[in-house]
Amino acid sequence: MGAICLVNLVFMFIVPLAVASKENGKSSLSTYIVHLKKPKGVFAQAVDLDGWYRSFLPVTIPGQRTRMVFSYRNVVTGFAAKLTAEEAEAMKRKEGIKSVWPEKVYSLHTTHSPDFMGLQQSLGFWNQSNYGRGVIIGVLDTGITPGHPSFSDEGMPPQPAKWKGKCEFEGGCNNKLIGARSFVEGEVGPPADEEGHGTHTASTAGGNFVKGANVFGNANGTASGMAPLAHLAMYKVCGAGCSESAILAAMDAAVEDGVDVLSLSLGGGSIPFYMDSIALGAFTAIQKGVFVSCSTGNEGPSYGTLSNEAPWILTVGASTIDRSIAAVPKLGNGLTFDGESLYQPNDFPSTLLPLVYSGANGKAASAFCAPGSLKDVDVKGKVVLCERGGDIGRIDKGQEVKDNGGAAMILMNDKLNGFSTIADPHVLPATHVGYETGLSIRKYINSTINATATIIFKGTVLGKQTAPEVTSFSSRGPSLQSFGILKPDIIGPGVSILAAWPVSVENKTNTNSTFNMISGTSMSCPHLSGIAALLKSSHPDWSPAAIKSAIMTTASLVNLGGNPIVDETNTTADIFATGAGHVNPSKANDPGLIYDIQPDDYIPYLCGLNYTDEEVGTIVQQTVNCSSESIIAEAELNYPSFSILLAESGGSQTYTRTVMNVGPASSSYTYEVFVPTGVDVSVKPEEIVFTEVNQKQTYSVTFSRQKNISLPFSQGLLKWVSAQHDVNTPIVAIFE
């Protein structure tokens, strides 16, 4: 494969947790993931399988703690165990061992959003899908707060008969939260949520209706998850980081327990699928009909920064909603600008105060309002302009201003984050503004010796016409593991999202709330997990790939104002930021056509990635001989998008797709093509005709590179149009 001409490709590396240290010349014990060749036949009991696994472990002396950490039964053939580096190397040479590697540590990807996406009580898609009734969403995260009103089972149906899971809370669970388990090594007790992240994501996916939800009086209304009548099961996998062995064990348990949807707001960067435990667990999940939704990561806006790239996973990026918690900076020259802050004091003076730039002394630390950097800067009683960055938290910058007597803070973005702002619970009156706004404020400060400003707090404002916008932190494609698959797949709400929080959230204003507003692709992922649950309830016969197809081919490409979706630069977002576009739940319920993929269809695709038979076998959990497979190019997978590599000296490339009719029995579609710059595109046939529901038809698309193209990539769209449906299939051409 030739070198891709994208600028600033960023490779994300996962730090192995199991780095064995030397103590007295001997390696210490660390956790390793061990994959075994699948044995012939089936073990009758879990204890039999566990005994076979233990036969590979080193002999332990009496009184020594067990080496086995987790025994996997469903998603992979193998186990996690405590080994020294020398023992791990010796184990690799044993008969029946496929691979041994030190476990990795993954990171978390950290009310109004149902309304924003057209979900309304007693109407439309929510009503048609029974609010997700009967569907089980499994969430892998930091735990959960069972007594929160978002997890009340008022109005909930009984737990499904198929449910086999456990509840480790002493008081038990209920018909909303039907399961809760902890897989965090060394943790004793139930999967209580000390971080808040898991409570937030679980309630976003499937929280019940809660009236009067707000954060410090802002965004007041009825909170609910995307699938308010779906059941929830929490699998706690994150303590001090999210260990690979725990994630794999939780996915193993969730599949056996009977979940319908898995939601993982965590990840660890780009890694081959056969070494990615999330990808491995997800593949077995989709084999059993379980839909898997994962966050892209928060490493944007640089290209090539994705996590969770496997094509059998729905990879979700983050966007804004049309709500802001407005905090408007007003300068002494009369100019005002857009800004945001979750902390909205009622008593901040409207009179102008002195305005200073924290970095006027020429020190970078002061410009970033780093801890201790303002002790010799005169900020007392003043509004202080601070710069974002320097590896210092946004709220921590305000703390430095406050500690030195500052009256308020204006936090300006760096150039990388552009126009993307976040409503934070600041510790003093503050506002977060974009980069260009910050430059304008600095220019004003430099223009006068008596610069002044105040902040006007306007509270909750709805109806922003540029929403949704792709936020700066949302990780971008292309997929480094498979350039022939467009990633991310979709974007959804992930900025300033209000959802449940453990019992009491308190900011420095001594105001309590049981909800919190946070941002991240961690927040966008459970939105899509909940929507997948709605689709599963509405279409129980659809495969995970069919649900993904429906979500992608019906996605919105424009904002509320009818213009193209923009990114942090306030210009049109490219396809590596948006994927197929912004989720449109109601349209996804009636997509017209779907691109389906059966689990075995991935085998020729994986062989086409030049994986070995053993590596492919590790993923699909069966013996594979790639030489006997009809190996396909990456872009030939029946995916609801096209991602093609076009070399300067290469010829034309033709790819086929098969679509299934899930609309009216008698329907016909003709195509429209929005051709990528620098590419010639032809489609055959000109019309596809259906006479039955679930009937399949195949079409082909030929792509040819034009001469003298200097772009790194270009994008387009193939649209199949009938009397009732538009079926969008995005196209990206990457020029080698």
Side-chain angles (χ1 to χ4, degrees):
M1 181 182 295
I4 183 170
C5 301
L6 286 175
V7 180
N8 293 331
L9 280 182
V10 176
F11 291 80
M12 298 169 62
F13 295 93
I14 307 170
V15 179
L17 177 64
V19 177
S21 61
K22 291 282 185 179
E23 296 177 2
N24 299 323
K26 187 176 181 180
S27 294
S28 61
L29 294 174
S30 299
T31 302
Y32 286 78
I33 307 292
V34 181
H35 289 270
L36 305 175
K37 294 178 181 177
K38 198 163 189 175
K40 294 180 180 179
V42 179
F43 285 98
Q45 302 290 333
V47 67
D48 298 332
L49 182 65
D50 192 56
W52 180 57
Y53 287 164
R54 290 182 185 278
S55 70
F56 291 92
L57 294 176
V59 176
T60 56
I61 60 175
Q64 187 178 34
R65 67 173 180 165
T66 178
R67 296 291 196 92
M68 185 74 76
V69 178
F70 293 111
S71 175
Y72 307 124
R73 183 173 178 82
N74 298 292
V75 295
V76 296
T77 304
F79 55 89
K82 293 290 186 181
L83 303 169
T84 66
E86 293 83 1
E87 289 170 342
E89 284 300 315
M91 186 174 286
K92 291 178 183 179
R93 297 188 289 271
K94 289 186 177 182
E95 181 68 26
I97 297 289
K98 292 173 71 173
S99 61
V100 181
W101 68 67
E103 77 164 346
K104 299 172 283 291
V105 179
Y106 294 83
S107 60
L108 295 166
H109 288 155
T110 131
T111 53
H112 173 64
S113 50
D115 254 359
F116 176 65
M117 293 189 292
L119 298 175
Q120 299 179 349
Q121 285 185 259
S122 303
L123 297 172
F125 182 33
W126 251 356
N127 201 41
Q128 294 159 13
S129 64
N130 292 315
Y131 301 87
R133 183 186 300 269
V135 177
I136 304 170
I137 304 173
V139 182
L140 274 65
D141 216 294
T142 62
I144 197 165
T145 307
H148 194 283
S150 289
F151 308 123
S152 162
D153 64 356
E154 181 180 353
M156 288 293 300
Q159 66 183 41
K162 69 172 184 175
W163 176 244
K164 301 175 183 176
K166 302 175 182 178
C167 180
E168 294 179 353
F169 284 109
E170 186 175 343
C173 291
N174 60 20
N175 287 330
K176 164 56 74 176
L177 179 63
I178 62 174
R181 296 179 64 183
S182 177
F183 293 85
V184 178
E185 185 183 0
E187 181 172 286
V188 178
D193 186 10
E194 298 175 357
E195 302 292 330
H197 193 276
T199 299
H200 197 280
T201 57
S203 66
T204 300
N208 211 332
F209 295 103
V210 181
K211 294 181 179 180
N214 66 85
V215 184
F216 313 127
N218 299 304
N220 190 53
T222 298
S224 79
M226 295 297 100
L229 293 187
H231 306 281
L232 289 168
M234 172 57 67
Y235 300 86
K236 184 174 182 178
V237 297
C238 301
C242 312
S243 74
E244 181 182 17
S245 61
I247 293 168
L248 204 51
M251 297 180 83
D252 195 73
V255 168
E256 185 167 330
D257 290 347
V259 303
D260 299 296
V261 176
L262 274 173
S263 186
L264 290 83
S265 291
L266 47 87
S270 182
I271 189 170
F273 302 146
Y274 57 84
M275 295 183 64
D276 183 345
S277 288
I278 292 177
L280 295 176
F283 192 88
T284 301
I286 64 111
Q287 284 180 312
K288 297 179 182 293
V290 179
F291 185 91
V292 183
S293 173
C294 295
S295 47
T296 62
N298 299 335
E299 304 300 323
S302 297
Y303 288 116
T305 51
L306 294 170
S307 295
N308 303 314
E309 302 160 273
W312 48 89
I313 291 171
L314 182 74
T315 309
V316 187
S319 55
T320 64
I321 59 176
D322 68 332
R323 179 185 64 204
S324 63
I325 313 299
V328 177
K330 180 179 180 180
L331 307 184
N333 60 7
L335 291 178
T336 60
F337 303 93
D338 291 335
E340 292 191 84
S341 175
L342 191 54
Y343 174 36
Q344 298 268 318
N346 296 320
D347 56 354
F348 190 70
S350 59
T351 53
L352 295 170
L353 299 173
L355 170 65
V356 295
Y357 168 49
S358 61
N361 60 6
K363 297 180 180 179
S366 297
F368 292 134
C369 293
S373 67
L374 300 184
K375 61 183 179 180
D376 296 322
V377 180
D378 183 13
V379 299
K380 190 171 184 179
K382 299 177 180 179
V383 178
V384 183
L385 176 67
C386 298
E387 294 185 26
R388 186 174 179 178
D391 291 325
I392 301 153
R394 297 183 300 274
I395 295 173
D396 294 336
K397 295 172 185 287
Q399 187 67 57
E400 176 65 12
V401 173
K402 182 179 181 181
D403 289 346
N404 288 278
M409 176 182 69
I410 299 174
L411 176 61
M412 66 172 282
N413 267 344
D414 53 10
K415 188 174 183 178
L416 191 68
N417 286 287
F419 288 81
S420 294
T421 58
I422 295 173
D424 285 318
H426 290 287
V427 296
L428 82 170
T431 182
H432 184 186
V433 301
Y435 176 67
E436 295 292 339
T437 294
L439 292 181
S440 296
I441 295 173
R442 282 184 60 179
K443 183 177 180 181
Y444 164 67
I445 292 172
N446 293 332
S447 71
T448 176
I449 59 173
N450 294 309
T452 56
T454 189
I455 302 174
I456 302 168
F457 294 95
K458 294 188 173 182
T460 306
V461 178
L462 300 176
K464 187 177 182 182
Q465 293 298 291
T466 56
E469 304 158 314
V470 181
T471 188
S472 59
F473 59 71
S474 187
S475 290
R476 307 304 210 260
S479 168
L480 302 184
Q481 296 306 315
S482 183
F483 285 106
I485 300 295
L486 173 62
K487 291 284 182 171
D489 293 307
I490 199 77
I491 54 173
V495 179
S496 300
I497 300 302
L498 183 148
W501 202 249
V503 186
S504 175
V505 175
E506 183 177 348
N507 74 354
K508 299 300 175 65
T509 61
N510 297 316
T511 305
N512 294 327
S513 174
T514 57
F515 292 84
N516 198 7
M517 191 177 284
I518 57 177
S519 301
T521 55
S522 281
M523 284 63 255
S524 50
C525 169
H527 278 91
L528 271 295
S529 305
I531 290 166
L534 296 177
L535 292 170
K536 183 75 174 177
S537 180
S538 187
H539 303 279
D541 57 327
W542 280 6
S543 69
I547 292 173
K548 178 197 280 194
S549 173
I551 289 170
M552 291 176 63
T553 62
T554 59
S556 298
L557 301 174
V558 296
N559 58 29
L560 293 182
N563 297 310
I565 294 171
V566 301
D567 62 14
E568 73 286 343
T569 67
N570 205 29
T571 57
T572 300
D574 67 46
I575 200 165
F576 290 130
T578 63
H582 190 275
V583 62
N584 187 323
S586 297
K587 284 191 174 181
N589 192 43
D590 182 22
L593 304 176
I594 56 173
Y595 297 82
D596 205 0
I597 306 174
Q598 297 304 312
D600 282 352
D601 295 340
Y602 291 103
I603 295 175
Y605 157 80
L606 292 167
C607 290
L609 292 178
N610 293 321
Y611 288 175
T612 66
D613 293 349
E614 196 166 86
E615 289 165 350
V616 177
T618 296
I619 297 169
V620 303
Q621 287 295 288
Q622 64 189 65
T623 301
V624 172
N625 184 353
C626 284
S627 63
S628 65
E629 294 286 340
S630 299
I631 296 175
I632 62 173
E634 299 170 51
E636 186 67 24
L637 187 68
N638 200 46
Y639 212 68
S641 61
F642 289 96
S643 179
I644 53 173
L645 293 171
L646 293 175
E648 189 168 7
S649 58
S652 62
Q653 300 177 26
T654 299
Y655 299 102
T656 61
R657 290 290 188 271
T658 299
V659 288
M660 184 168 71
N661 179 31
V662 294
S666 179
S667 54
S668 62
Y669 290 79
T670 56
Y671 71 84
E672 299 175 11
V673 180
F674 301 87
V675 179
T677 300
V679 183
D680 294 322
V681 179
S682 63
V683 182
K684 293 181 180 180
E686 293 185 355
E687 182 182 29
I688 48 179
V689 178
F690 299 92
T691 57
E692 300 174 9
V693 175
N694 294 332
Q695 183 182 359
K696 296 180 180 180
Q697 296 284 12
T698 297
Y699 70 88
S700 66
V701 186
T702 300
F703 302 95
S704 302
R705 176 172 176 162
Q706 297 171 358
K707 295 181 179 180
N708 302 319
I709 298 300
S710 58
L711 299 170
F713 67 91
S714 66
Q715 63 191 64
L717 182 73
L718 171 61
K719 178 182 291 190
W720 287 101
V721 182
S722 73
Q724 298 182 31
H725 297 96
D726 289 350
V727 183
N728 294 331
T729 308
I731 301 169
V732 61
I734 302 171
F735 299 113
E736 293 186 287

